[in-house]
Coordinates of all heavy atoms in Angstrom, one line a residue:
D1 N 160.7 110.7 133.7 CA 159.5 111.5 133.5 C 159.9 112.9 133.0 O 159.3 113.9 133.4 CB 158.7 111.6 134.7 CG 157.9 110.3 135.0 OD1 157.4 109.7 134.0 OD2 157.6 110.0 136.1
S2 N 160.9 113.0 132.1 CA 161.4 114.3 131.7 C 160.4 115.2 131.1 O 160.3 116.4 131.3 CB 162.6 114.1 130.7 OG 163.6 113.4 131.4
G3 N 159.5 114.6 130.2 CA 158.5 115.4 129.6 C 157.5 116.0 130.5 O 157.2 117.2 130.4
M4 N 157.1 115.3 131.5 CA 156.2 115.8 132.5 C 156.9 116.9 133.4 O 156.3 117.9 133.7 CB 155.7 114.7 133.4 CG 154.6 115.1 134.4 SD 154.1 113.8 135.5 CE 155.6 113.6 136.5
R5 N 158.1 116.6 133.8 CA 158.9 117.6 134.6 C 159.2 118.8 133.9 O 159.1 119.9 134.5 CB 160.2 116.9 135.1 CG 160.0 115.6 135.9 CD 159.2 115.8 137.1 NE 158.9 114.5 137.8 CZ 158.0 114.3 138.8 NH1 157.3 115.3 139.2 NH2 157.9 113.1 139.3
E6 N 159.5 118.8 132.6 CA 159.8 120.0 131.9 C 158.5 120.8 131.7 O 158.6 122.1 131.8 CB 160.3 119.6 130.5 CG 161.7 119.0 130.5 CD 162.1 118.5 129.1 OE1 161.3 118.4 128.2 OE2 163.3 118.1 129.0
N7 N 157.4 120.2 131.6 CA 156.1 120.9 131.5 C 155.8 121.6 132.8 O 155.4 122.7 132.9 CB 155.0 120.0 131.1 CG 153.8 120.7 130.6 OD1 153.1 121.4 131.3 ND2 153.5 120.5 129.3
E8 N 156.0 120.8 133.9 CA 155.8 121.3 135.2 C 156.7 122.5 135.6 O 156.2 123.5 136.2 CB 156.0 120.2 136.3 CG 155.6 120.6 137.7 CD 155.7 119.3 138.6 OE1 156.8 118.7 138.6 OE2 154.8 119.0 139.2
D9 N 157.9 122.5 135.1 CA 158.9 123.6 135.4 C 158.8 124.7 134.4 O 159.5 125.7 134.5 CB 160.3 123.0 135.4 CG 160.5 122.0 136.5 OD1 159.8 122.0 137.5 OD2 161.5 121.2 136.4
G10 N 157.9 124.6 133.4 CA 157.8 125.7 132.4 C 158.9 125.8 131.4 O 159.2 126.9 130.9
I11 N 159.6 124.7 131.2 CA 160.7 124.7 130.2 C 160.2 125.0 128.9 O 159.3 124.3 128.3 CB 161.4 123.3 130.2 CG1 162.0 122.9 131.6 CG2 162.6 123.4 129.2 CD1 162.9 123.9 132.2
G12 N 160.7 126.0 128.2 CA 160.1 126.6 127.0 C 160.4 125.6 125.8 O 159.6 125.5 124.9
N13 N 161.6 125.0 125.7 CA 162.0 124.2 124.6 C 161.9 122.7 125.0 O 162.6 122.3 125.8 CB 163.4 124.6 124.1 CG 163.5 126.0 123.8 OD1 162.5 126.7 123.5 ND2 164.7 126.6 123.8
R14 N 161.0 122.0 124.4 CA 160.8 120.6 124.7 C 160.1 119.9 123.6 O 159.6 120.5 122.6 CB 160.0 120.5 126.0 CG 158.6 121.1 126.0 CD 157.9 121.0 127.3 NE 156.5 121.5 127.3 CZ 156.2 122.7 127.7 NH1 157.1 123.6 128.1 NH2 154.9 123.1 127.7
Q15 N 160.1 118.6 123.7 CA 159.4 117.7 122.7 C 158.7 116.5 123.3 O 159.0 116.2 124.4 CB 160.5 117.2 121.6 CG 161.5 116.3 122.2 CD 162.5 115.8 121.1 OE1 162.7 116.4 120.1 NE2 163.1 114.6 121.4
K16 N 157.8 116.0 122.6 CA 157.1 114.8 123.1 C 156.7 113.9 121.9 O 156.4 114.4 120.8 CB 155.9 115.2 123.9 CG 154.9 116.0 123.3 CD 153.9 116.5 124.4 CE 152.9 117.6 123.8 NZ 152.1 118.2 124.8
F17 N 156.6 112.6 122.2 CA 156.2 111.6 121.2 C 154.8 111.1 121.6 O 154.6 110.9 122.8 CB 157.2 110.5 121.1 CG 158.6 110.9 120.5 CD1 159.6 111.4 121.3 CD2 158.8 110.8 119.1 CE1 160.8 111.7 120.8 CE2 160.0 111.1 118.6 CZ 161.0 111.6 119.4
R18 N 154.1 110.8 120.5 CA 152.7 110.2 120.8 C 152.3 109.4 119.6 O 152.8 109.6 118.5 CB 151.7 111.3 121.1 CG 151.4 112.2 119.9 CD 150.6 113.4 120.3 NE 150.3 114.3 119.2 CZ 150.0 115.6 119.4 NH1 149.9 116.1 120.6 NH2 149.8 116.4 118.3
I19 N 151.4 108.4 119.8 CA 150.8 107.7 118.8 C 149.3 108.1 118.8 O 148.7 108.2 119.9 CB 150.9 106.2 119.0 CG1 152.4 105.8 118.8 CG2 150.1 105.4 118.0 CD1 152.7 104.3 119.0
R20 N 148.7 108.3 117.6 CA 147.4 108.9 117.6 C 146.5 108.1 116.6 O 146.9 107.7 115.5 CB 147.5 110.4 117.1 CG 146.2 111.1 117.0 CD 146.4 112.6 116.9 NE 146.6 113.2 118.3 CZ 146.7 114.4 118.5 NH1 146.6 115.3 117.5 NH2 146.9 114.9 119.8
I21 N 145.2 107.9 117.1 CA 144.2 107.3 116.2 C 143.0 108.2 116.3 O 142.8 109.0 117.2 CB 143.8 105.8 116.6 CG1 143.3 105.8 118.0 CG2 145.0 104.9 116.4 CD1 142.8 104.4 118.5
Y22 N 142.1 108.0 115.3 CA 140.9 108.8 115.2 C 139.6 108.0 115.1 O 139.6 107.0 114.4 CB 141.0 109.7 113.9 CG 142.2 110.6 113.9 CD1 143.4 110.2 113.3 CD2 142.2 111.9 114.5 CE1 144.5 111.0 113.3 CE2 143.3 112.7 114.5 CZ 144.4 112.3 113.9 OH 145.6 113.1 113.9
N23 N 138.6 108.4 115.8 CA 137.3 107.7 115.8 C 137.5 106.2 116.2 O 136.7 105.4 115.6 CB 136.6 107.9 114.5 CG 136.2 109.4 114.3 OD1 135.9 110.1 115.2 ND2 136.3 109.8 113.0
H24 N 138.4 105.9 117.0 CA 138.7 104.5 117.5 C 138.9 103.6 116.3 O 138.7 102.4 116.4 CB 137.4 104.0 118.3 CG 137.1 104.9 119.4 ND1 135.8 105.2 119.7 CD2 137.9 105.5 120.4 CE1 135.8 106.0 120.8 NE2 137.0 106.2 121.2
D25 N 139.4 104.1 115.2 CA 139.7 103.3 114.0 C 141.2 103.1 113.9 O 142.0 104.0 113.8 CB 139.2 104.1 112.8 CG 139.5 103.4 111.5 OD1 139.9 102.2 111.5 OD2 139.1 103.9 110.4
D26 N 141.6 101.8 114.0 CA 143.0 101.5 114.0 C 143.6 101.2 112.6 O 144.7 100.7 112.4 CB 143.4 100.3 114.9 CG 142.6 99.0 114.5 OD1 142.0 99.0 113.4 OD2 142.7 98.1 115.3

């Protein structure tokens, strides 16, 4: 859970990955 912990600890330099869709259109 590095992404969550870095956010919780206020780590300034971080990255995250996500997949995104719009208007429920795949």
